Amino acid sequence: MLRNTFLLGLYKLVFGFPAPIILALLINEVRKSFMKRFVQTVSYLPHFISNVVVAGIAVMFLSPTSGMINQLISAVGLDRINFLVEASWFRTIYITTDVWQHIGWGTIIYLAALTAIDPQLYEAARMDGANRWRQTMNITLPGIAPAIVIILILDIGKILEIGFEKVYLLATPATYETADIISTYVYRVGLTQGNYSYATAIDLFTGIISFIFIIAANSFSRRVSGSSIW
């Protein structure tokens, strides 16, 4: 359970953390305001969808009989895959749905940070012959670096705090090998079996480890980059 929880949290950090940054940079490059608002709206909407609905969408898309993914797999001549009972696919399904659900919401902070960058810096860079890529690397990313560092520190502190709902909805007994995490175990022990003290101790342990992670990440960031939460 510790391994599954840590790996899910780590994959969520590795793939979920840079995704909003990339999307914010791409949206910032869009010059037509209508298209920019449209992309923002479409990317924000999944955040407001319930985890139950997200899990239902995933089940529909991954259905071995009528799911769109398996229909595409079958169309190219490959065997259909029952993703929801394959333990090796659970982490991919969870991370993919989580990134899709929250990527738009995460861009709000970075888009707000982008508005604080002085436009004269871009004008000076263009006069010096810098292309869009050089402007992004030398002006945009350094300009939003403090926001990136703060979000990264907070995300590191939440590595072990994997949401219960989506894992519970997507997991099956066949996928417990990779899907069973601390929060689902606490649910079974605390609510199903009535062992409240043991479940409380497990949650306290998780909170302490998360606190240690965030303290370590904040100290490391302060020493290396000079930016930190406190």
Side-chain angles (χ1 to χ4, degrees), residues 157-227:
K158 296 186 292 185
I159 283 182
L160 295 181
E161 297 179 7
I162 301 298
F164 163 79
E165 292 181 359
K166 193 183 299 180
V167 174
Y168 182 75
L169 293 168
L170 292 175
T172 62
T175 61
Y176 275 172
E177 178 185 350
T178 57
D180 198 17
I181 60 175
I182 293 176
S183 58
T184 54
Y185 180 69
V186 168
Y187 166 76
R188 291 200 305 274
V189 172
L191 295 181
T192 305
Q193 301 178 13
N195 195 346
Y196 302 114
S197 59
Y198 184 48
T200 303
I202 296 174
D203 246 4
L204 178 62
F205 165 78
T206 305
I208 293 174
I209 297 300
S210 299
F211 180 73
I212 293 173
F213 278 172
I214 197 170
I215 291 295
N218 187 75
S219 300
F220 179 79
S221 175
R222 185 170 60 247
R223 293 179 182 179
V224 173
S225 66
S227 299

Side-chain angles (χ1 to χ4, degrees), residues 5-25:
T5 306
F6 180 77
L7 287 177
L8 278 180
L10 180 63
Y11 293 154
K12 184 177 178 180
L13 180 66
V14 170
F15 296 102
F17 172 73
I21 301 174
I22 296 173
L23 180 59
L25 294 176

